[in-house]
Amino acid sequence: MAAEGQAAVVTIDGPSGAGKSTISRLLAARLGFTYLDTGAMYRAVALAVARQGVDPNDAAALDRCLETIELELRPQENDDVLVCLNGEDVSAAIRTPEMALAASRISAYPRVRSKLTQLQRELAARGGVVVEGRDMGTVVFPWAAHKFYLDASPAERTRRRCEQLRQRGENPDYQEIMAQIKKRDLDDSQRDLAPLKPADDAVIVESSTMTPEAVVEFMLARIRNLVTRSS
Ligand code: DC
């Protein structure tokens, strides 16, 4: 599956709200792999930067801030993963629309990307892993044998995000959420460094009319087909 000495990695990239987290978790469980949410890492860095009041354009201050950041992803028994920033559980604090936009902004900075890219490679080296993000198949794990690009229409992604927020007891405004999703799509795909785009060898999955289970079955079939053909 992977090149010699490299762990088995399945990459899932795609725009916000495409269902990457749900699919990555389900797929990881089916494969007996762990799951790595790299968006959560960018969100945690954005939280640290905001809390420390650092101007990300001040390279020296950003470097100092990055040095203070200790990130840990702690898998729980219920398949959840706690995101810990310097030992503090920030899993809830990073899941706000403000932190999503802040993460998108901070992710354009080269220093932030190189720190997190290195950490992501270290974490993935421990064993089979499903990694989700924006640049998994293009930049962080270009050698991965199985790459997917998960997409859905902006309307469907907005509907899913609103549903998620309602389940958390919030009362989202559809138009506002749609505007946030479109802004992040644009920012994430137009930045110079590691922009959101499908890897040339990624399988594109347009999931607007698919259930999560159908997406996972489709991915498993692709993975098994490739493994069978190459063995
Ligand atoms: O997947 P998410 O919504 O939690 O990601 C938040 C932001 O982090 C996203 O808008 C862009 C950035 N990000 C990135 O640049 N590269 C990744 N691999 C993952 C996320």
Side-chain angles (χ1 to χ4, degrees):
M1 242 159 110
E4 208 178 327
Q6 283 168 333
V9 172
V10 178
T11 66
I12 302 185
D13 289 305
S16 53
K20 297 187 298 296
S21 299
T22 306
I23 300 300
S24 304
R25 270 166 214 246
L26 291 171
L27 187 65
R30 291 287 295 275
L31 291 167
F33 283 13
T34 55
Y35 150 67
L36 182 59
D37 174 359
T38 63
M41 299 167 83
Y42 282 94
R43 287 169 184 255
V45 170
L47 183 65
V49 167
R51 280 179 173 176
Q52 293 185 27
V54 171
D55 172 3
N57 289 309
D58 179 342
L62 184 59
D63 276 348
R64 278 197 300 278
C65 174
L66 289 174
E67 272 165 28
T68 67
I69 293 176
E70 185 93 14
L71 275 184
E72 204 196 333
L73 301 172
R74 284 190 209 146
Q76 304 296 288
E77 283 191 353
N78 62 359
D79 277 353
D80 249 4
V81 179
L82 291 188
V83 183
C84 297
L85 174 64
N86 298 332
E88 175 194 347
D89 175 10
V90 294
S91 314
I94 61 171
R95 296 285 163 208
T96 65
E98 295 73 31
M99 274 306 127
L101 287 172
S104 178
R105 272 197 304 276
I106 202 79
S107 70
Y109 288 85
R111 289 175 153 78
V112 175
R113 294 214 79 83
S114 62
K115 177 174 171 111
L116 291 188
T117 295
Q118 190 190 340
L119 189 54
Q120 287 154 12
R121 288 181 178 147
E122 281 167 19
L123 291 172
R126 294 180 189 171
V129 63
V130 177
V131 290
E132 62 137 308
R134 304 292 189 285
D135 60 341
M136 297 295 103
T138 49
V139 174
V140 185
F141 303 104
W143 44 262
H146 305 293
K147 299 183 186 178
F148 297 98
Y149 186 87
L150 188 61
D151 209 350
S153 67
E156 175 60 15
R157 289 188 283 127
T158 305
R159 192 194 64 74
R160 292 178 189 170
R161 185 50 50 88
C162 287
E163 182 55 34
Q164 243 174 21
L165 292 169
R166 271 194 290 275
Q167 278 176 9
R168 275 195 240 149
E170 293 173 35
N171 186 18
D173 179 276
Y174 182 90
Q175 293 304 338
E176 201 178 308
I177 300 293
M178 167 91 88
Q180 285 171 359
I181 280 186
K182 286 190 167 169
K183 170 157 177 43
R184 273 212 290 153
D185 284 357
L186 202 68
D187 291 348
D188 291 346
S189 56
Q190 292 197 338
R191 67 177 177 227
D192 293 336
L193 209 56
L196 166 68
K197 63 172 181 186
D200 291 339
D201 51 351
V203 175
I204 301 196
V205 186
E206 215 298 325
S207 72
S208 297
T209 59
M210 294 170 85
T211 61
E213 291 72 23
V215 172
V216 171
E217 289 305 331
F218 173 82
M219 290 179 171
L220 281 171
R222 293 294 302 220
I223 292 170
R224 288 182 182 137
N225 189 22
L226 203 65
V227 171
T228 312
R229 276 194 288 124
S230 62
S231 56

